[in-house]
Amino acid sequence: MARVALVTGGTRGIGAAICRMLKDKGYTVAANYAGNDAAAKKFREETGIAVYKFDVGDFAAVQTAVAQIEKDLGPIEIVVNNAGITRDGTMKRMNRESWDAVVATNLGSCFNVCKAVWDGMNTRGFGRIVNIGSINGQAGQYGQVNYAAAKSGIHGFTKALAQEGAAKGITVNAIAPGYTDTDMVSAVPAPVLEKIVAKIPVGRLGKAEEIARGVVFLVADDAGFITGSTLSINGGQHMY
Ligand code: NDP
């Protein structure tokens, strides 16, 4: 039977590319999203992939949704913690709400989702978890103390959980994308984006499919010896 993969934030951008590629490789995919019903409907119609609306930052909502997905599709054996948001601002301007929202959505979500699938993965002796970090979690970024801290936290979370899963057939890895052409990046003002692209040795933004390639590689059945690692996919912008 096809393994079931849950991709958070799977209806747009990088997550949508991950869902499509996993489906193409024969996995049964569940795509989560937060509130953009129109995008989710379009994605569902185009791909036939099941969509589930819940807030990954809400612990109780995640436990309920995961139980529903497993009822609908079967045990979740692959998790891609991809949902993320930015609420940029310098320390001078950033308020506590922006800090909390970014930490809850980008990092708290990893705990919430992993907690919901962890016992099942342990019992079955198989699991693949991929957490989407960021170049800005590795290198920091002006105006992003919240986002850089959350993404940096993902890398620590990954290495710690990898140690707990290793003897149970569960791998836990991270991908640190560089600047990738999605709605998130189109929110960056054009002059700022030009300066960013000028610093990317490959000379362009990444494509969502180029991040998805890394996910497909890490979740494969024969990737069992790769755990606790971070795969940087950033056009050479930051060599970590
Ligand atoms: P997008 O903004 O294009 O898409 C974000 C997705 O996450 C949407 O499906 C959105 O749902 C969902 N989402 C947001 N908040 C929540 C929530 N609370 N609960 C559930 N789902 C939620 O983002 P990208 O594709 O650009 O980014 C994907 C991941 O990659 C993020 O973690 C991001 O931080 C990371 N990343 C992106 C980079 C880039 O350059 N694009 C670079 C490095 C890392 P909805 O449609 O309902 O809003």
PDB file of all heavy atoms in Angstrom, residues 55-58 83-87 94-112 144-154 157:
ATOM      1  N   ASP A  55      -5.048  24.980  11.829  1.00  0.00           N
ATOM      2  CA  ASP A  55      -3.915  25.836  12.201  1.00  0.00           C
ATOM      3  C   ASP A  55      -2.833  24.970  12.848  1.00  0.00           C
ATOM      4  O   ASP A  55      -3.036  24.420  13.930  1.00  0.00           O
ATOM      5  CB  ASP A  55      -4.413  26.912  13.178  1.00  0.00           C
ATOM      6  CG  ASP A  55      -3.298  27.793  13.713  1.00  0.00           C
ATOM      7  OD1 ASP A  55      -2.129  27.643  13.278  1.00  0.00           O
ATOM      8  OD2 ASP A  55      -3.597  28.646  14.583  1.00  0.00           O
ATOM      9  N   VAL A  56      -1.692  24.871  12.186  1.00  0.00           N
ATOM     10  CA  VAL A  56      -0.620  24.008  12.712  1.00  0.00           C
ATOM     11  C   VAL A  56      -0.052  24.513  14.041  1.00  0.00           C
ATOM     12  O   VAL A  56       0.619  23.772  14.753  1.00  0.00           O
ATOM     13  CB  VAL A  56       0.537  23.834  11.699  1.00  0.00           C
ATOM     14  CG1 VAL A  56       0.123  23.004  10.509  1.00  0.00           C
ATOM     15  CG2 VAL A  56       1.108  25.184  11.269  1.00  0.00           C
ATOM     16  N   GLY A  57      -0.352  25.772  14.368  1.00  0.00           N
ATOM     17  CA  GLY A  57       0.127  26.309  15.636  1.00  0.00           C
ATOM     18  C   GLY A  57      -0.771  25.960  16.813  1.00  0.00           C
ATOM     19  O   GLY A  57      -0.440  26.240  17.960  1.00  0.00           O
ATOM     20  N   ASP A  58      -1.899  25.335  16.525  1.00  0.00           N
ATOM     21  CA  ASP A  58      -2.896  25.010  17.555  1.00  0.00           C
ATOM     22  C   ASP A  58      -2.785  23.517  17.888  1.00  0.00           C
ATOM     23  O   ASP A  58      -3.187  22.658  17.098  1.00  0.00           O
ATOM     24  CB  ASP A  58      -4.285  25.364  16.994  1.00  0.00           C
ATOM     25  CG  ASP A  58      -5.416  25.046  17.965  1.00  0.00           C
ATOM     26  OD1 ASP A  58      -5.255  24.162  18.833  1.00  0.00           O
ATOM     27  OD2 ASP A  58      -6.484  25.663  17.823  1.00  0.00           O
ATOM     28  N   ALA A  83       4.568  24.338   6.667  1.00  0.00           N
ATOM     29  CA  ALA A  83       3.794  25.578   6.867  1.00  0.00           C
ATOM     30  C   ALA A  83       4.657  26.638   7.544  1.00  0.00           C
ATOM     31  O   ALA A  83       5.364  26.353   8.518  1.00  0.00           O
ATOM     32  CB  ALA A  83       2.560  25.295   7.718  1.00  0.00           C
ATOM     33  N   GLY A  84       4.592  27.838   7.032  1.00  0.00           N
ATOM     34  CA  GLY A  84       5.381  28.903   7.636  1.00  0.00           C
ATOM     35  C   GLY A  84       4.839  30.260   7.259  1.00  0.00           C
ATOM     36  O   GLY A  84       4.153  30.417   6.249  1.00  0.00           O
ATOM     37  N   ILE A  85       5.132  31.225   8.104  1.00  0.00           N
ATOM     38  CA  ILE A  85       4.736  32.622   7.833  1.00  0.00           C
ATOM     39  C   ILE A  85       5.885  33.547   8.200  1.00  0.00           C
ATOM     40  O   ILE A  85       6.784  33.164   8.955  1.00  0.00           O
ATOM     41  CB  ILE A  85       3.486  33.043   8.644  1.00  0.00           C
ATOM     42  CG1 ILE A  85       3.725  32.851  10.155  1.00  0.00           C
ATOM     43  CG2 ILE A  85       2.249  32.298   8.174  1.00  0.00           C
ATOM     44  CD1 ILE A  85       2.697  33.552  11.039  1.00  0.00           C
ATOM     45  N   THR A  86       5.825  34.748   7.668  1.00  0.00           N
ATOM     46  CA  THR A  86       6.732  35.807   8.115  1.00  0.00           C
ATOM     47  C   THR A  86       5.893  36.968   8.653  1.00  0.00           C
ATOM     48  O   THR A  86       4.776  37.206   8.184  1.00  0.00           O
ATOM     49  CB  THR A  86       7.608  36.335   6.952  1.00  0.00           C
ATOM     50  OG1 THR A  86       6.761  36.675   5.860  1.00  0.00           O
ATOM     51  CG2 THR A  86       8.629  35.301   6.510  1.00  0.00           C
ATOM     52  N   ARG A  87       6.434  37.647   9.639  1.00  0.00           N
ATOM     53  CA  ARG A  87       5.872  38.913  10.147  1.00  0.00           C
ATOM     54  C   ARG A  87       7.079  39.783  10.463  1.00  0.00           C
ATOM     55  O   ARG A  87       7.490  39.904  11.611  1.00  0.00           O
ATOM     56  CB  ARG A  87       5.052  38.700  11.437  1.00  0.00           C
ATOM     57  CG  ARG A  87       3.813  37.846  11.304  1.00  0.00           C
ATOM     58  CD  ARG A  87       2.628  38.620  10.720  1.00  0.00           C
ATOM     59  NE  ARG A  87       1.432  37.791  10.726  1.00  0.00           N
ATOM     60  CZ  ARG A  87       1.106  36.912   9.789  1.00  0.00           C
ATOM     61  NH1 ARG A  87       1.903  36.714   8.749  1.00  0.00           N
ATOM     62  NH2 ARG A  87      -0.007  36.197   9.873  1.00  0.00           N
ATOM     63  N   MET A  94       9.040  45.461  16.055  1.00  0.00           N
ATOM     64  CA  MET A  94       8.317  44.181  16.188  1.00  0.00           C
ATOM     65  C   MET A  94       7.566  44.109  17.512  1.00  0.00           C
ATOM     66  O   MET A  94       8.126  44.422  18.567  1.00  0.00           O
ATOM     67  CB  MET A  94       9.292  43.002  16.086  1.00  0.00           C
ATOM     68  CG  MET A  94       8.579  41.661  16.036  1.00  0.00           C
ATOM     69  SD  MET A  94       9.716  40.306  15.824  1.00  0.00           S
ATOM     70  CE  MET A  94      10.326  40.613  14.181  1.00  0.00           C
ATOM     71  N   ASN A  95       6.307  43.665  17.432  1.00  0.00           N
ATOM     72  CA  ASN A  95       5.558  43.516  18.678  1.00  0.00           C
ATOM     73  C   ASN A  95       5.505  42.044  19.092  1.00  0.00           C
ATOM     74  O   ASN A  95       5.916  41.154  18.354  1.00  0.00           O
ATOM     75  CB  ASN A  95       4.150  44.115  18.559  1.00  0.00           C
ATOM     76  CG  ASN A  95       3.354  43.465  17.433  1.00  0.00           C
ATOM     77  OD1 ASN A  95       3.573  42.298  17.113  1.00  0.00           O
ATOM     78  ND2 ASN A  95       2.437  44.208  16.847  1.00  0.00           N
ATOM     79  N   ARG A  96       5.005  41.828  20.265  1.00  0.00           N
ATOM     80  CA  ARG A  96       4.982  40.481  20.841  1.00  0.00           C
ATOM     81  C   ARG A  96       4.108  39.537  20.009  1.00  0.00           C
ATOM     82  O   ARG A  96       4.405  38.344  19.871  1.00  0.00           O
ATOM     83  CB  ARG A  96       4.461  40.574  22.289  1.00  0.00           C
ATOM     84  CG  ARG A  96       4.353  39.260  23.016  1.00  0.00           C
ATOM     85  CD  ARG A  96       5.730  38.695  23.372  1.00  0.00           C
ATOM     86  NE  ARG A  96       5.633  37.266  23.534  1.00  0.00           N
ATOM     87  CZ  ARG A  96       6.523  36.505  24.170  1.00  0.00           C
ATOM     88  NH1 ARG A  96       7.611  37.042  24.681  1.00  0.00           N
ATOM     89  NH2 ARG A  96       6.355  35.223  24.273  1.00  0.00           N
ATOM     90  N   GLU A  97       3.034  40.072  19.422  1.00  0.00           N
ATOM     91  CA  GLU A  97       2.121  39.232  18.618  1.00  0.00           C
ATOM     92  C   GLU A  97       2.859  38.664  17.406  1.00  0.00           C
ATOM     93  O   GLU A  97       2.684  37.492  17.056  1.00  0.00           O
ATOM     94  CB  GLU A  97       0.894  40.042  18.150  1.00  0.00           C
ATOM     95  CG  GLU A  97      -0.127  40.345  19.240  1.00  0.00           C
ATOM     96  CD  GLU A  97       0.361  41.361  20.272  1.00  0.00           C
ATOM     97  OE1 GLU A  97       1.158  42.259  19.929  1.00  0.00           O
ATOM     98  OE2 GLU A  97      -0.040  41.234  21.449  1.00  0.00           O
ATOM     99  N   SER A  98       3.678  39.484  16.773  1.00  0.00           N
ATOM    100  CA  SER A  98       4.419  39.020  15.597  1.00  0.00           C
ATOM    101  C   SER A  98       5.418  37.935  15.998  1.00  0.00           C
ATOM    102  O   SER A  98       5.650  36.975  15.257  1.00  0.00           O
ATOM    103  CB  SER A  98       5.183  40.165  14.941  1.00  0.00           C
ATOM    104  OG  SER A  98       4.287  41.141  14.508  1.00  0.00           O
ATOM    105  N   TRP A  99       6.033  38.131  17.147  1.00  0.00           N
ATOM    106  CA  TRP A  99       6.958  37.110  17.651  1.00  0.00           C
ATOM    107  C   TRP A  99       6.214  35.800  17.885  1.00  0.00           C
ATOM    108  O   TRP A  99       6.611  34.737  17.391  1.00  0.00           O
ATOM    109  CB  TRP A  99       7.620  37.602  18.954  1.00  0.00           C
ATOM    110  CG  TRP A  99       8.387  36.526  19.668  1.00  0.00           C
ATOM    111  CD1 TRP A  99       7.902  35.686  20.624  1.00  0.00           C
ATOM    112  CD2 TRP A  99       9.741  36.140  19.438  1.00  0.00           C
ATOM    113  NE1 TRP A  99       8.892  34.796  21.029  1.00  0.00           N
ATOM    114  CE2 TRP A  99      10.023  35.057  20.315  1.00  0.00           C
ATOM    115  CE3 TRP A  99      10.747  36.596  18.589  1.00  0.00           C
ATOM    116  CZ2 TRP A  99      11.274  34.424  20.362  1.00  0.00           C
ATOM    117  CZ3 TRP A  99      12.000  35.968  18.641  1.00  0.00           C
ATOM    118  CH2 TRP A  99      12.253  34.899  19.510  1.00  0.00           C
ATOM    119  N   ASP A 100       5.114  35.864  18.636  1.00  0.00           N
ATOM    120  CA  ASP A 100       4.377  34.644  18.994  1.00  0.00           C
ATOM    121  C   ASP A 100       3.827  33.926  17.763  1.00  0.00           C
ATOM    122  O   ASP A 100       3.909  32.696  17.673  1.00  0.00           O
ATOM    123  CB  ASP A 100       3.212  34.980  19.940  1.00  0.00           C
ATOM    124  CG  ASP A 100       3.692  35.340  21.346  1.00  0.00           C
ATOM    125  OD1 ASP A 100       4.835  34.987  21.690  1.00  0.00           O
ATOM    126  OD2 ASP A 100       2.929  35.976  22.085  1.00  0.00           O
ATOM    127  N   ALA A 101       3.273  34.690  16.827  1.00  0.00           N
ATOM    128  CA  ALA A 101       2.660  34.063  15.649  1.00  0.00           C
ATOM    129  C   ALA A 101       3.701  33.309  14.833  1.00  0.00           C
ATOM    130  O   ALA A 101       3.472  32.170  14.393  1.00  0.00           O
ATOM    131  CB  ALA A 101       1.983  35.131  14.785  1.00  0.00           C
ATOM    132  N   VAL A 102       4.850  33.923  14.647  1.00  0.00           N
ATOM    133  CA  VAL A 102       5.885  33.301  13.809  1.00  0.00           C
ATOM    134  C   VAL A 102       6.489  32.077  14.511  1.00  0.00           C
ATOM    135  O   VAL A 102       6.703  31.033  13.880  1.00  0.00           O
ATOM    136  CB  VAL A 102       6.961  34.347  13.417  1.00  0.00           C
ATOM    137  CG1 VAL A 102       8.196  33.680  12.847  1.00  0.00           C
ATOM    138  CG2 VAL A 102       6.357  35.313  12.405  1.00  0.00           C
ATOM    139  N   VAL A 103       6.719  32.192  15.804  1.00  0.00           N
ATOM    140  CA  VAL A 103       7.292  31.049  16.524  1.00  0.00           C
ATOM    141  C   VAL A 103       6.280  29.898  16.584  1.00  0.00           C
ATOM    142  O   VAL A 103       6.622  28.735  16.373  1.00  0.00           O
ATOM    143  CB  VAL A 103       7.776  31.464  17.937  1.00  0.00           C
ATOM    144  CG1 VAL A 103       8.179  30.252  18.762  1.00  0.00           C
ATOM    145  CG2 VAL A 103       8.948  32.434  17.818  1.00  0.00           C
ATOM    146  N   ALA A 104       5.009  30.230  16.820  1.00  0.00           N
ATOM    147  CA  ALA A 104       3.986  29.172  16.908  1.00  0.00           C
ATOM    148  C   ALA A 104       3.784  28.472  15.563  1.00  0.00           C
ATOM    149  O   ALA A 104       3.680  27.244  15.504  1.00  0.00           O
ATOM    150  CB  ALA A 104       2.661  29.767  17.382  1.00  0.00           C
ATOM    151  N   THR A 105       3.741  29.244  14.486  1.00  0.00           N
ATOM    152  CA  THR A 105       3.436  28.654  13.175  1.00  0.00           C
ATOM    153  C   THR A 105       4.636  27.902  12.599  1.00  0.00           C
ATOM    154  O   THR A 105       4.490  26.823  12.030  1.00  0.00           O
ATOM    155  CB  THR A 105       2.975  29.753  12.191  1.00  0.00           C
ATOM    156  OG1 THR A 105       1.853  30.418  12.758  1.00  0.00           O
ATOM    157  CG2 THR A 105       2.579  29.159  10.852  1.00  0.00           C
ATOM    158  N   ASN A 106       5.806  28.470  12.737  1.00  0.00           N
ATOM    159  CA  ASN A 106       6.984  27.845  12.110  1.00  0.00           C
ATOM    160  C   ASN A 106       7.619  26.759  12.974  1.00  0.00           C
ATOM    161  O   ASN A 106       8.101  25.768  12.440  1.00  0.00           O
ATOM    162  CB  ASN A 106       8.047  28.905  11.788  1.00  0.00           C
ATOM    163  CG  ASN A 106       7.606  29.863  10.689  1.00  0.00           C
ATOM    164  OD1 ASN A 106       7.759  29.593   9.513  1.00  0.00           O
ATOM    165  ND2 ASN A 106       7.033  30.992  11.085  1.00  0.00           N
ATOM    166  N   LEU A 107       7.657  26.974  14.292  1.00  0.00           N
ATOM    167  CA  LEU A 107       8.381  26.034  15.156  1.00  0.00           C
ATOM    168  C   LEU A 107       7.445  25.208  16.040  1.00  0.00           C
ATOM    169  O   LEU A 107       7.572  23.978  16.096  1.00  0.00           O
ATOM    170  CB  LEU A 107       9.380  26.807  16.025  1.00  0.00           C
ATOM    171  CG  LEU A 107      10.211  25.993  17.012  1.00  0.00           C
ATOM    172  CD1 LEU A 107      11.040  24.923  16.296  1.00  0.00           C
ATOM    173  CD2 LEU A 107      11.134  26.916  17.825  1.00  0.00           C
ATOM    174  N   GLY A 108       6.501  25.863  16.697  1.00  0.00           N
ATOM    175  CA  GLY A 108       5.543  25.130  17.536  1.00  0.00           C
ATOM    176  C   GLY A 108       4.834  24.066  16.724  1.00  0.00           C
ATOM    177  O   GLY A 108       4.538  22.964  17.217  1.00  0.00           O
ATOM    178  N   SER A 109       4.585  24.363  15.467  1.00  0.00           N
ATOM    179  CA  SER A 109       3.921  23.410  14.570  1.00  0.00           C
ATOM    180  C   SER A 109       4.687  22.102  14.445  1.00  0.00           C
ATOM    181  O   SER A 109       4.082  21.029  14.349  1.00  0.00           O
ATOM    182  CB  SER A 109       3.788  24.042  13.179  1.00  0.00           C
ATOM    183  OG  SER A 109       5.075  24.395  12.689  1.00  0.00           O
ATOM    184  N   CYS A 110       5.990  22.189  14.456  1.00  0.00           N
ATOM    185  CA  CYS A 110       6.798  20.956  14.314  1.00  0.00           C
ATOM    186  C   CYS A 110       6.553  20.037  15.511  1.00  0.00           C
ATOM    187  O   CYS A 110       6.399  18.824  15.367  1.00  0.00           O
ATOM    188  CB  CYS A 110       8.286  21.292  14.195  1.00  0.00           C
ATOM    189  SG  CYS A 110       8.684  22.175  12.696  1.00  0.00           S
ATOM    190  N   PHE A 111       6.512  20.642  16.698  1.00  0.00           N
ATOM    191  CA  PHE A 111       6.190  19.841  17.887  1.00  0.00           C
ATOM    192  C   PHE A 111       4.774  19.286  17.777  1.00  0.00           C
ATOM    193  O   PHE A 111       4.539  18.086  17.982  1.00  0.00           O
ATOM    194  CB  PHE A 111       6.323  20.685  19.163  1.00  0.00           C
ATOM    195  CG  PHE A 111       5.913  19.916  20.393  1.00  0.00           C
ATOM    196  CD1 PHE A 111       6.789  19.019  21.001  1.00  0.00           C
ATOM    197  CD2 PHE A 111       4.633  20.044  20.924  1.00  0.00           C
ATOM    198  CE1 PHE A 111       6.401  18.268  22.108  1.00  0.00           C
ATOM    199  CE2 PHE A 111       4.238  19.305  22.035  1.00  0.00           C
ATOM    200  CZ  PHE A 111       5.129  18.411  22.624  1.00  0.00           C
ATOM    201  N   ASN A 112       3.826  20.143  17.439  1.00  0.00           N
ATOM    202  CA  ASN A 112       2.416  19.725  17.414  1.00  0.00           C
ATOM    203  C   ASN A 112       2.182  18.558  16.463  1.00  0.00           C
ATOM    204  O   ASN A 112       1.490  17.591  16.807  1.00  0.00           O
ATOM    205  CB  ASN A 112       1.526  20.907  16.986  1.00  0.00           C
ATOM    206  CG  ASN A 112       1.571  22.051  17.971  1.00  0.00           C
ATOM    207  OD1 ASN A 112       1.997  21.891  19.112  1.00  0.00           O
ATOM    208  ND2 ASN A 112       1.156  23.230  17.532  1.00  0.00           N
ATOM    209  N   GLN A 144      14.221  40.118  11.009  1.00  0.00           N
ATOM    210  CA  GLN A 144      13.552  38.807  11.141  1.00  0.00           C
ATOM    211  C   GLN A 144      13.985  38.066  12.416  1.00  0.00           C
ATOM    212  O   GLN A 144      14.240  36.863  12.352  1.00  0.00           O
ATOM    213  CB  GLN A 144      13.867  37.925   9.932  1.00  0.00           C
ATOM    214  CG  GLN A 144      13.090  38.285   8.680  1.00  0.00           C
ATOM    215  CD  GLN A 144      13.130  37.177   7.634  1.00  0.00           C
ATOM    216  OE1 GLN A 144      14.106  36.455   7.525  1.00  0.00           O
ATOM    217  NE2 GLN A 144      12.062  37.041   6.861  1.00  0.00           N
ATOM    218  N   VAL A 145      14.056  38.740  13.538  1.00  0.00           N
ATOM    219  CA  VAL A 145      14.477  37.995  14.739  1.00  0.00           C
ATOM    220  C   VAL A 145      13.499  36.859  15.044  1.00  0.00           C
ATOM    221  O   VAL A 145      13.904  35.773  15.470  1.00  0.00           O
ATOM    222  CB  VAL A 145      14.673  38.878  15.998  1.00  0.00           C
ATOM    223  CG1 VAL A 145      15.855  39.814  15.842  1.00  0.00           C
ATOM    224  CG2 VAL A 145      13.429  39.628  16.371  1.00  0.00           C
ATOM    225  N   ASN A 146      12.217  37.096  14.790  1.00  0.00           N
ATOM    226  CA  ASN A 146      11.220  36.054  15.061  1.00  0.00           C
ATOM    227  C   ASN A 146      11.399  34.859  14.114  1.00  0.00           C
ATOM    228  O   ASN A 146      11.505  33.704  14.540  1.00  0.00           O
ATOM    229  CB  ASN A 146       9.794  36.626  14.977  1.00  0.00           C
ATOM    230  CG  ASN A 146       9.508  37.411  13.693  1.00  0.00           C
ATOM    231  OD1 ASN A 146      10.355  37.534  12.809  1.00  0.00           O
ATOM    232  ND2 ASN A 146       8.301  37.934  13.598  1.00  0.00           N
ATOM    233  N   TYR A 147      11.471  35.153  12.833  1.00  0.00           N
ATOM    234  CA  TYR A 147      11.571  34.092  11.813  1.00  0.00           C
ATOM    235  C   TYR A 147      12.917  33.358  11.922  1.00  0.00           C
ATOM    236  O   TYR A 147      12.961  32.123  11.869  1.00  0.00           O
ATOM    237  CB  TYR A 147      11.404  34.731  10.441  1.00  0.00           C
ATOM    238  CG  TYR A 147      11.349  33.788   9.271  1.00  0.00           C
ATOM    239  CD1 TYR A 147      10.176  33.108   8.943  1.00  0.00           C
ATOM    240  CD2 TYR A 147      12.466  33.590   8.467  1.00  0.00           C
ATOM    241  CE1 TYR A 147      10.124  32.255   7.843  1.00  0.00           C
ATOM    242  CE2 TYR A 147      12.427  32.743   7.368  1.00  0.00           C
ATOM    243  CZ  TYR A 147      11.248  32.082   7.058  1.00  0.00           C
ATOM    244  OH  TYR A 147      11.192  31.239   5.970  1.00  0.00           O
ATOM    245  N   ALA A 148      13.995  34.111  12.083  1.00  0.00           N
ATOM    246  CA  ALA A 148      15.322  33.475  12.167  1.00  0.00           C
ATOM    247  C   ALA A 148      15.403  32.582  13.407  1.00  0.00           C
ATOM    248  O   ALA A 148      15.973  31.483  13.354  1.00  0.00           O
ATOM    249  CB  ALA A 148      16.420  34.538  12.187  1.00  0.00           C
ATOM    250  N   ALA A 149      14.820  33.043  14.515  1.00  0.00           N
ATOM    251  CA  ALA A 149      14.847  32.241  15.741  1.00  0.00           C
ATOM    252  C   ALA A 149      14.024  30.967  15.562  1.00  0.00           C
ATOM    253  O   ALA A 149      14.450  29.873  15.946  1.00  0.00           O
ATOM    254  CB  ALA A 149      14.301  33.053  16.910  1.00  0.00           C
ATOM    255  N   ALA A 150      12.838  31.091  14.969  1.00  0.00           N
ATOM    256  CA  ALA A 150      11.976  29.917  14.766  1.00  0.00           C
ATOM    257  C   ALA A 150      12.642  28.919  13.824  1.00  0.00           C
ATOM    258  O   ALA A 150      12.660  27.712  14.090  1.00  0.00           O
ATOM    259  CB  ALA A 150      10.616  30.350  14.216  1.00  0.00           C
ATOM    260  N   LYS A 151      13.194  29.409  12.741  1.00  0.00           N
ATOM    261  CA  LYS A 151      13.822  28.508  11.767  1.00  0.00           C
ATOM    262  C   LYS A 151      15.096  27.893  12.314  1.00  0.00           C
ATOM    263  O   LYS A 151      15.391  26.719  12.080  1.00  0.00           O
ATOM    264  CB  LYS A 151      14.092  29.256  10.455  1.00  0.00           C
ATOM    265  CG  LYS A 151      12.828  29.648   9.700  1.00  0.00           C
ATOM    266  CD  LYS A 151      11.980  28.436   9.360  1.00  0.00           C
ATOM    267  CE  LYS A 151      10.893  28.727   8.347  1.00  0.00           C
ATOM    268  NZ  LYS A 151      10.019  27.572   8.095  1.00  0.00           N
ATOM    269  N   SER A 152      15.851  28.662  13.054  1.00  0.00           N
ATOM    270  CA  SER A 152      17.043  28.130  13.702  1.00  0.00           C
ATOM    271  C   SER A 152      16.639  27.050  14.702  1.00  0.00           C
ATOM    272  O   SER A 152      17.288  26.001  14.811  1.00  0.00           O
ATOM    273  CB  SER A 152      17.772  29.276  14.401  1.00  0.00           C
ATOM    274  OG  SER A 152      18.970  28.833  14.914  1.00  0.00           O
ATOM    275  N   GLY A 153      15.526  27.292  15.401  1.00  0.00           N
ATOM    276  CA  GLY A 153      15.002  26.300  16.343  1.00  0.00           C
ATOM    277  C   GLY A 153      14.658  24.995  15.647  1.00  0.00           C
ATOM    278  O   GLY A 153      14.840  23.909  16.211  1.00  0.00           O
ATOM    279  N   ILE A 154      14.176  25.082  14.432  1.00  0.00           N
ATOM    280  CA  ILE A 154      13.831  23.874  13.673  1.00  0.00           C
ATOM    281  C   ILE A 154      15.055  22.994  13.496  1.00  0.00           C
ATOM    282  O   ILE A 154      14.984  21.764  13.566  1.00  0.00           O
ATOM    283  CB  ILE A 154      13.236  24.256  12.290  1.00  0.00           C
ATOM    284  CG1 ILE A 154      11.785  24.680  12.458  1.00  0.00           C
ATOM    285  CG2 ILE A 154      13.367  23.109  11.284  1.00  0.00           C
ATOM    286  CD1 ILE A 154      11.071  25.035  11.174  1.00  0.00           C
ATOM    287  N   PHE A 157      15.655  21.257  16.807  1.00  0.00           N
ATOM    288  CA  PHE A 157      14.550  20.292  16.978  1.00  0.00           C
ATOM    289  C   PHE A 157      14.841  19.037  16.153  1.00  0.00           C
ATOM    290  O   PHE A 157      14.689  17.904  16.622  1.00  0.00           O
ATOM    291  CB  PHE A 157      13.256  20.964  16.509  1.00  0.00           C
ATOM    292  CG  PHE A 157      12.027  20.091  16.532  1.00  0.00           C
ATOM    293  CD1 PHE A 157      11.204  20.032  17.641  1.00  0.00           C
ATOM    294  CD2 PHE A 157      11.677  19.328  15.416  1.00  0.00           C
ATOM    295  CE1 PHE A 157      10.052  19.227  17.657  1.00  0.00           C
ATOM    296  CE2 PHE A 157      10.541  18.521  15.417  1.00  0.00           C
ATOM    297  CZ  PHE A 157       9.729  18.475  16.549  1.00  0.00           C
TER     298      PHE A 157
END
